[in-house]
Amino acid sequence: MTKSYSTLDRRTLLKGTALGIGALAAPAIVSRKALASSGELNFTGWAGYPALAEKVFPAFEAATGIKVNFKELPDQDTMFAEAKVALEAGGIDVIEPTIDRVGAWDSNGLLGTFDESKLAMDNYLPGLADGAAGERSRPGGALKYVPSVWGTESLVVNTADAKLSTPPSLGDLFNPENQAVLRPHSSLAAMGRWLDAQGKLPRPWMDGYSDMAAMVELWDIALAEAVKAKGNVVQWWSGENEANAGFTANGATVGLCWDSTGFNLRNDGFAYVAPVEGAFAWHQGFVMMKNATNVEQAHEFVKWVSTAEGAAGWASAFSSNPVGKGASDLLDPEVAAYYNGTFNDDALSKLWWWPDQSAEFLAKRAEYADKYKAA
């Protein structure tokens, strides 16, 4: 499943005002039980977003009295490995994957279940915690994932030196005239989608996400074509810091990167551009470990991020889109302007949501990524 998410009107969502994250320390009703135990939460999330520790977690503590112990990791594969260790050793209460990984995490016995009566499900914008996304959040019928932020993975381009098609295309990533910074598995998917758009695949690219035989057939083709174009890759990335370095240290002129990378480089001659095939879109959220010890605090944390204040802070930290109603009115106005400059109505209509990816698919995908890097 991909595009069955409702497409949000980003122009409405990202209005923005003069208010920033400084408005986050709003009072909250906190369960006495949450504060009666440790008053702390062990959270493992994404590296490269300093505003979380500098602004958002202090705001949450000011609002609830709960302290966040934050461990940063660069990518989801590392998070998954860390979660498997924590299932035996403990130490993680909440962790933050994307919705397409929930099935794999659940099938490995990692996830606990949220008590919806302790959350505020009505806080979320339509289409993010209900509908198709809501179904994907409930493997086996129990709520095991709630949204935290959503965004895109698209073209980051050097406005002076990148060689772009008219209109810009995923194919520009493989143009030998460009120096590219790429994430291996994303760029293989980009190659597949580009070939699919040109009618050069024997079946739709999407078939590979639900049929492993089709996956091998299609990814073999994408890998062969990507290897042919590999000479223009100057940096592989798996996390935010590496992606930024590809441009600032290694001279990349184009990359397939998260929105936050483009935002971080927006004043250095780079632009964030939606390809004609549509930007990749991701839906990120919180899961609770099956052996979480600070369960009440976990619920308070998740609930706070669903509020207007919490959602605005989380989205501003990631330079991405909020999940809570009313958050757009508190969003950092510079973030709002950045998105409105990238995604017009046509680009919004073409968003390509990452589909569900089973544990078997992810293992095979990792093999293709390794082959691509080693070729």
Side-chain angles (χ1 to χ4, degrees):
M1 169 275 163
T2 56
K3 295 182 182 177
S4 56
Y5 285 159
S6 60
T7 301
L8 301 182
D9 182 349
R10 198 184 299 242
R11 295 187 179 281
T12 300
L13 188 64
L14 300 182
K15 292 177 182 177
T17 69
L19 295 177
I21 301 179
L24 293 181
I29 298 174
V30 183
S31 156
R32 288 186 179 181
K33 189 175 179 182
L35 297 176
S37 54
S38 71
E40 296 188 355
L41 174 77
N42 298 315
F43 172 64
T44 297
W46 296 87
Y49 303 95
L52 290 176
E54 293 171 359
K55 298 181 179 180
V56 183
F57 297 144
F60 170 68
E61 185 174 359
T64 65
I66 299 170
K67 174 181 171 57
V68 176
N69 301 315
F70 180 38
K71 182 171 184 178
E72 300 179 80
L73 294 176
D75 57 66
Q76 293 204 74
D77 293 333
T78 308
M79 289 184 194
F80 184 68
E82 192 91 355
K84 288 197 289 186
V85 172
L87 190 62
E88 302 297 328
I92 300 177
D93 297 313
V94 175
I95 197 164
E96 192 178 14
T98 53
I99 198 171
D100 52 281
R101 304 292 188 95
V102 172
W105 285 59
D106 189 55
S107 68
N108 277 270
L110 299 175
L111 303 186
T113 299
F114 286 108
D115 181 346
E116 294 188 49
S117 71
K118 297 179 180 179
L119 302 178
M121 301 304 292
D122 288 342
N123 282 353
Y124 296 103
L125 288 162
L128 290 179
D130 59 355
E135 293 176 9
R136 296 174 79 182
S137 302
R138 293 173 168 81
L143 182 64
K144 296 185 177 180
Y145 169 99
V146 288
S148 60
V149 70
W150 68 277
T152 56
E153 187 172 347
S154 195
L155 303 180
V156 176
V157 302
N158 183 312
T159 55
D161 299 324
K163 308 300 181 185
L164 301 179
S165 306
T166 304
S169 167
L170 292 173
D172 297 329
L173 298 166
F174 311 105
N175 183 339
E177 295 185 77
N178 287 319
Q179 302 294 296
V181 53
L182 300 174
R183 183 164 63 157
H185 76 80
S186 292
S187 49
L188 288 173
M191 174 62 80
R193 291 182 56 210
W194 182 46
L195 294 172
D196 195 8
Q198 295 178 306
K200 294 183 177 180
L201 292 179
R203 59 170 73 196
W205 178 251
M206 277 299 301
D207 286 359
Y209 290 90
S210 56
D211 181 326
M212 287 304 296
M215 189 267 190
V216 171
E217 178 185 15
L218 294 169
W219 284 66
D220 277 349
I221 296 170
L223 175 63
E225 293 301 315
V227 168
K228 292 178 186 176
K230 186 186 172 187
N232 75 332
V233 179
V234 297
Q235 171 91 40
W236 300 112
W237 71 272
S238 62
E240 185 64 52
N241 295 329
E242 291 174 327
N244 276 277
F247 296 100
T248 59
N250 293 325
T253 59
V254 67
L256 181 63
C257 303
W258 293 321
D259 8 37
S260 50
T261 307
F263 183 81
N264 291 337
L265 298 172
R266 69 195 183 284
N267 296 324
D268 299 318
F270 293 88
Y272 193 60
V273 177
V276 65
E277 299 87 357
F280 290 89
W282 48 265
H283 185 295
Q284 188 168 299
F286 300 121
V287 297
M288 184 167 60
M289 288 291 296
K290 190 173 185 178
N291 62 337
T293 57
N294 298 302
V295 174
E296 294 295 326
Q297 293 88 338
H299 283 80
E300 294 295 340
F301 177 68
V302 167
K303 182 168 68 173
W304 184 82
V305 175
S306 75
T307 66
E309 294 84 4
W314 211 263
S316 292
F318 281 91
S319 305
S320 295
N321 301 292
V323 297
K325 295 173 183 175
S328 61
D329 294 329
L330 303 178
L331 196 65
D332 183 330
E334 195 169 3
V335 175
Y338 167 71
Y339 276 108
N340 286 333
T342 298
F343 291 95
N344 58 23
D345 291 342
D346 181 61
L348 284 171
S349 71
K350 293 178 179 177
L351 289 178
W352 192 89
W353 293 94
W354 283 107
D356 287 338
Q357 297 167 71
S358 67
E360 183 182 13
F361 179 96
L362 291 171
K364 194 68 177 176
R365 190 192 72 175
E367 291 180 17
Y368 279 102
D370 289 342
K371 289 178 181 177
Y372 183 25
K373 290 177 69 176

